[in-house]
Amino acid sequence: MIKKLSHNANERNRRKKMNSLFSTLRSCLPASDQLNKLSIPQTVLRTVKYIPDLQEQVKKLTQKKEDLLVRALGQRDMESYVKQQPQAVASYVSTVFATKNGDNEVMVQISSSKIRKFSIYNVLSGLEEDGFVVVDVSSSSSRGERLFYTLHLQVGKTDSNKIICEELSQKILYLYEECGNSFR
């Protein structure tokens, strides 16, 4: 009897979680698909159709951005701009994106899962040890299961030429995930 009650409770929790996840997925669909509550198969079908549309929009917007940059900067300056594009560094649960803002400023964006608990304190401590000054930190969360941090950092003028955004992103990802797990 106890096994059956336990099994029923586990199954009820599993269904609640699945319904919550499908509700989150449904909320990512266009507003026209959110007017009526879609069934689970309809949600999956609409999502499968919507993702290629979004991918096509990204391609078009990327092309439009490049066209505008070519017109605004000219072809010569465009080549140096493309080389400076920052790269995002990602793991299974987190993404870190660092962008250089001027000679001695860096903006870092971190997106991570709420499911795994990581410590932003480890990141801030590690950055300060490396000579960065934390100017501002903000955080927010999505309706789903994502946390977002934005860090505004400054570095002394002597080290400003050494800022390589991809390496900084790698280090922050390490500090955020690996070091955060070692203190539990």
Side-chain angles (χ1 to χ4, degrees):
M1 181 70 161
I2 293 174
K3 279 186 175 183
K4 185 176 182 180
L5 290 175
S6 175
H7 174 75
N8 288 347
N10 288 338
E11 180 63 19
R12 187 172 30 258
N13 288 338
R14 185 190 70 78
R15 282 192 315 268
K16 282 182 183 178
K17 184 168 184 163
M18 289 295 291
N19 286 335
S20 172
L21 291 171
F22 277 108
S23 178
T24 301
L25 184 61
R26 210 175 288 119
S27 72
C28 295
L29 292 172
S32 61
D33 289 330
Q34 294 179 19
L35 297 175
N36 299 326
K37 184 176 179 187
L38 300 173
S39 68
I40 290 174
Q42 287 175 326
T43 300
V44 172
L45 180 65
R46 298 262 173 95
T47 302
V48 167
K49 289 180 179 180
Y50 186 52
I51 290 173
D53 292 342
L54 288 176
Q55 289 170 331
E56 186 61 33
Q57 284 181 11
V58 168
K59 284 181 187 176
K60 287 178 182 176
L61 289 171
T62 301
Q63 184 61 46
K64 185 176 179 178
K65 175 184 170 186
E66 289 173 6
D67 292 345
L68 289 171
L69 282 171
V70 166
R71 277 192 251 148
L73 299 176
Q75 186 63 34
R76 184 189 66 222
D77 295 332
M78 181 62 184
E79 291 171 2
S80 65
Y81 174 80
V82 170
K83 290 178 187 173
Q84 295 175 358
Q85 285 295 307
Q87 297 285 324
V89 176
S91 73
Y92 179 69
V93 291
S94 303
T95 302
V96 178
F97 187 76
T99 308
K100 194 171 177 180
N101 295 343
D103 289 339
N104 65 340
E105 293 185 10
V106 179
M107 184 68 66
V108 178
Q109 296 168 319
I110 303 171
S111 169
S112 69
S113 171
K114 286 183 188 176
I115 295 170
R116 300 212 18 216
K117 303 293 183 201
F118 298 114
S119 174
I120 194 69
Y121 173 78
N122 294 324
V123 173
L124 299 176
S125 298
L127 290 170
E128 287 178 343
E129 286 175 14
D130 286 350
F132 287 93
V133 176
V134 179
V135 176
D136 187 37
V137 176
S138 64
S139 66
S140 61
S141 62
S142 67
R143 271 199 291 173
E145 301 198 4
R146 301 297 295 170
L147 285 173
F148 303 97
Y149 295 99
T150 301
L151 313 176
H152 181 200
L153 310 171
Q154 285 186 338
V155 66
K157 291 185 180 185
T158 57
D159 294 339
S160 64
N161 293 331
K162 296 180 183 177
I163 298 174
I164 299 173
C165 291
E166 193 168 350
E167 290 177 9
L168 181 61
S169 296
Q170 291 271 0
K171 178 172 177 91
I172 291 172
L173 186 64
Y174 170 77
L175 289 169
Y176 189 65
E177 290 187 349
E178 302 303 323
C179 293
N181 291 335
S182 64
F183 291 110
R184 277 194 228 161

